Amino acid sequence: MQPTHTSADRGRAALGPALELVHTGAAPTRSALTSALGVTRATAGAVTCELEALNLITVDSRPAGGTRGRPSHRLAVDPSGPVVLAAQIHADGFTVALATLGGALGPHRDFPLPVPASPERVLHAVVTEAAALIAADPRRCVGLGLAVPTPVALPDRTAVAAMYLDWPSGTPVGDLLEQQVAAAGLSVAVDVANDANLAALAEHRHGAGRGSRHLLYITSGHRGVGGALVVEGKLHTGSAGLALEVGQLTVDPDGRLCPCGNRGCLDVEADPPALLAAAGREVDPARPLLDQTRDVLADAAAGDARARGAVEHVTDRLGLGIAGVINILNPDRVVLGAFHSALLVAAPDRLARVVAERSYWGRSGQIPIAPAVLERSELAGAAELAWAPVLADPLGVLGG
Ligand SMILES: [Zn+2]
């Protein structure tokens, strides 16, 4: 411990913020990093040297850009540097992939859920496949992040209302995951969070939410509707991690029955089964729900009147929900994921009109509504969760 604050201390404090700027692509050069951090060129130089020594970034000293201004070193994440393991549990199975800094996911592997109603069995399978992927890669793995389709209460990391997984409410998913990771002999930091929250974080850092200050994210991938708010780059968690559970907003008091016991929640009025029901189609349990919604959207685009009516009905319900949330939260951008992104593409004018009619702040379309752009936002978000300790203190995690 240094007795006084030296420039080295200031440099260490800047390592995390600097790494995040390179990680998100916000600082492609050292001069961009210098101005974004508000530090001297000497400090920025020391910080980039340190991050390069930790194998986190590369510094290319050949001048970037044209002839205007002072040439600056180019910064990029180091592709041979450490990786994290991203995992996602969803209604159709689970997925694992390795991820580098910069938001890039390696090839992902999909597996069915063994005994879906048993959290222990499911988490054991996830960790077994994760360990195999880590063992097969020469790079150092420094964290494991898991996205789950249930609210996760903080600080205990318990899954509450895991309605679509049939897990007991209050399942200590964080502790169970840590036990499985320890039993597998992995020494990596572990964390778990709600899938919609993580997708929002990934879209904010690497996707359609980049640059927004108050990003509202709403999505539906299988059953139910998830939401999240990213404020100034940080997830808004509420007092216990349960903020933005927009699925339980009532958008039709006489609507479809929800697993929560109420009728007409956004969860059951604007998810894939809602579209299939409105189109008069049975859910095929053997096929992913998103694929089945794509059939309805394609039929609607081809002129099928019943399919088009279903798309409009569900778009209107979604619009009511979005408008209600906009009125309360005053976001500067709305990003829609998965099924909702497809609905937006299918009926952009209708969704914008419903939101404008029902939302005081959304009038005249001042709040852009955009589709998510990342291929697998939830999995990318699980990687962001795994990177969190490194981004907070790169030297603390990697320097030992
Ligand atoms: Zn409900």
Side-chain angles (χ1 to χ4, degrees):
M1 182 75 77
Q2 303 272 342
T4 55
H5 287 290
T6 64
S7 61
D9 294 329
R10 287 194 296 277
R12 177 164 182 173
L15 286 177
L19 183 59
E20 184 162 330
L21 287 162
V22 180
H23 171 57
T24 57
T29 64
R30 206 167 70 185
S31 64
L33 184 76
T34 306
S35 53
L37 289 174
V39 296
T40 63
R41 291 183 67 218
T43 299
V47 163
T48 53
C49 271
E50 184 77 61
L51 292 175
E52 190 179 32
L54 293 169
N55 289 114
L56 291 167
I57 69 169
T58 58
V59 182
D60 185 345
S61 57
R62 287 171 297 169
T67 52
R68 290 198 309 155
R70 196 197 297 264
S72 182
H73 295 54
R74 276 176 291 194
L75 307 177
V77 301
D78 185 343
S80 68
V83 293
V84 293
L85 191 292
Q88 181 195 0
I89 295 172
H90 46 82
D92 297 323
F94 70 90
T95 307
V96 292
L98 291 172
T100 58
L101 280 167
L105 289 170
H108 64 267
R109 302 185 64 197
D110 294 305
F111 302 91
L113 291 181
V115 198
S118 163
E120 288 87 354
R121 296 282 296 275
V122 169
L123 293 171
H124 176 75
V126 169
V127 171
T128 301
E129 298 302 342
L133 209 52
I134 291 168
D137 195 283
R139 295 168 293 183
R140 178 179 173 192
C141 183
V142 294
L144 188 156
L146 173 66
V148 288
T150 158
V152 177
L154 297 175
D156 299 334
R157 298 184 298 175
T158 50
V160 292
M163 294 184 284
Y164 302 106
L165 276 178
D166 285 333
W167 286 5
S169 191
T171 294
V173 61
D175 290 350
L176 291 175
L177 181 64
E178 285 193 343
Q179 287 164 17
Q180 293 289 346
V181 165
L186 295 172
S187 56
V188 294
V190 172
D191 208 356
V192 59
N194 170 257
D195 52 7
N197 281 357
L198 293 179
L201 193 59
E203 287 288 339
H204 184 269
R205 288 186 178 167
H206 306 290
R210 283 183 70 173
S212 80
R213 294 181 53 219
H214 288 236
L215 170 67
L216 172 63
Y217 181 78
I218 295 182
T219 188
S220 179
H222 301 271
R223 290 178 184 270
V225 173
L229 181 72
V230 181
V231 180
E232 308 290 359
K234 305 281 180 220
L235 270 173
H236 174 71
T237 60
S239 60
L242 306 178
L244 273 296
E245 283 303 322
V246 298
Q248 303 318 318
L249 272 176
T250 303
V251 290
D252 179 0
D254 303 317
R256 287 154 58 77
L257 193 61
C258 179
C260 79
N262 290 319
R263 280 194 176 276
C265 296
L266 193 64
D267 243 10
V268 288
E269 294 288 336
D271 70 348
L275 180 72
L276 295 173
R281 302 186 188 189
E282 296 284 331
V283 169
D284 177 355
R287 293 179 63 211
L289 284 164
L290 274 183
D291 291 352
Q292 297 177 59
T293 63
R294 285 191 195 104
D295 296 345
V296 178
L297 293 168
D299 291 348
D304 179 323
R306 179 136 196 213
R308 197 158 62 207
V311 170
E312 290 174 357
H313 175 80
V314 175
T315 297
D316 290 353
R317 292 288 183 269
L318 177 62
L320 280 180
I322 292 173
V325 182
I326 284 177
N327 284 334
I328 293 166
L329 295 178
N330 184 212
D332 62 355
R333 195 177 310 170
V334 179
V335 171
L336 302 181
F339 170 52
H340 294 160
S341 145
L343 268 186
L344 173 63
V345 171
D349 297 342
R350 191 175 183 100
L351 187 68
R353 193 170 69 241
V354 177
V355 171
E357 282 170 4
R358 294 284 179 160
S359 147
Y360 202 70
W361 314 130
R363 299 247 161 99
S364 352
Q366 294 112 322
I367 303 173
I369 305 178
V373 297
L374 299 179
E375 202 140 312
R376 302 185 72 100
S377 308
E378 293 88 356
L379 200 59
E384 294 304 317
L385 184 67
W387 283 120
V390 178
L391 292 170
D393 182 12
L395 197 58
V397 175
L398 297 163

